Amino acid sequence: ALFSEGVRAGINLHRAIDQFTDQHQVVRSAVEHLRPDYRKYAGVIVDMYFDHFLASGWSRWSDEPLKIFTSRMYDVLMYSFSVLPERTRRMLPHMMEHDWLYNYGNFEGLHQALSGMARRTPFSSNMETATRKLKGEYDFFANSFERFFPELIVFATQYRNELIVPVHISN
């Protein structure tokens, strides 16, 4: 599919964020901490844990209320529905109906998301137990998020600033 320049820039930013995250030592340590229990799904679970910390502490990172932000993001996704991958198009109505982005901030919403993913994995993932693991080691993962996320903000801001090339209009 051919995407607009803005969508391509967003995809590239997302890929850069994924690469930065996957290579970050704090994230790697958190993933290794989970690997004995969750094997290849440890990285997915750390990502979900970090989504939990972002949602539950949202007001520290944004002046826009989380409910308004999530609603706006669902609107953006619906506006772009025709260019979304088929899997995302099938999932989006459920995501919106249950407000996944908002509910990652509470244990019940996080547990539902992880359990749903566990049902869809081709192998036994144990993801349905990951919320209990988070509760038991909350401080470790909260500290990991607190060390990682401010660095991610700096990285993403710099990346976006490098993408914006000033336009010079000559007479």
Side-chain angles (χ1 to χ4, degrees):
L2 296 174
F3 298 113
S4 70
E5 185 177 336
V7 171
R8 282 196 314 272
I11 291 169
N12 289 335
L13 173 61
H14 186 94
R15 288 178 178 162
I17 287 171
D18 281 348
Q19 184 176 24
F20 176 85
T21 300
D22 292 345
Q23 294 175 355
H24 198 284
Q25 189 54 49
V26 169
V27 175
R28 285 183 170 195
S29 294
V31 169
E32 288 309 311
H33 188 79
L34 289 178
R35 195 166 306 283
D37 294 323
Y38 302 102
R39 296 171 304 285
K40 69 187 241 171
Y41 299 103
V44 172
I45 294 168
V46 167
D47 187 51
M48 294 295 292
Y49 286 0
F50 284 11
D51 286 346
H52 165 76
F53 291 115
L54 178 58
S56 65
W58 182 260
S59 61
R60 291 183 53 210
W61 309 104
S62 177
D63 293 332
E64 181 178 24
L66 180 58
K67 269 287 191 194
I68 293 172
F69 173 80
T70 61
S71 178
R72 194 163 52 82
M73 290 304 99
Y74 296 137
D75 288 346
V76 167
L77 289 168
M78 287 305 295
Y79 179 79
S80 306
F81 193 82
S82 65
V83 299
L84 295 174
E86 177 59 33
R87 188 170 166 216
T88 304
R89 289 198 303 251
R90 283 194 313 269
M91 181 181 62
L92 186 56
H94 305 289
M95 185 181 205
M96 293 171 62
E97 180 183 350
H98 300 287
D99 200 358
W100 290 0
L101 297 175
Y102 181 83
N103 284 309
Y104 288 160
N106 63 65
F107 286 121
E108 182 183 335
L110 182 66
H111 178 71
Q112 287 177 348
L114 287 163
S115 296
M117 288 194 299
R119 286 190 298 274
R120 293 186 297 275
T121 58
F123 308 105
S124 175
S125 66
N126 293 326
M127 282 193 279
E128 67 279 1
T129 69
T131 306
R132 185 171 56 241
K133 179 81 165 177
L134 175 60
K135 287 179 182 178
E137 300 187 46
Y138 202 80
D139 289 345
F140 171 81
F141 291 106
N143 183 277
S144 297
F145 177 79
E146 293 294 327
R147 290 170 39 219
F148 165 73
F149 196 66
E151 292 182 26
L152 176 61
I153 291 172
V154 169
F155 169 80
T157 301
Q158 289 174 343
Y159 186 94
R160 287 187 66 198
N161 288 342
E162 290 170 11
L163 285 180
I164 299 169
V165 179
V167 177
H168 298 285
I169 300 173
S170 56
N171 293 336

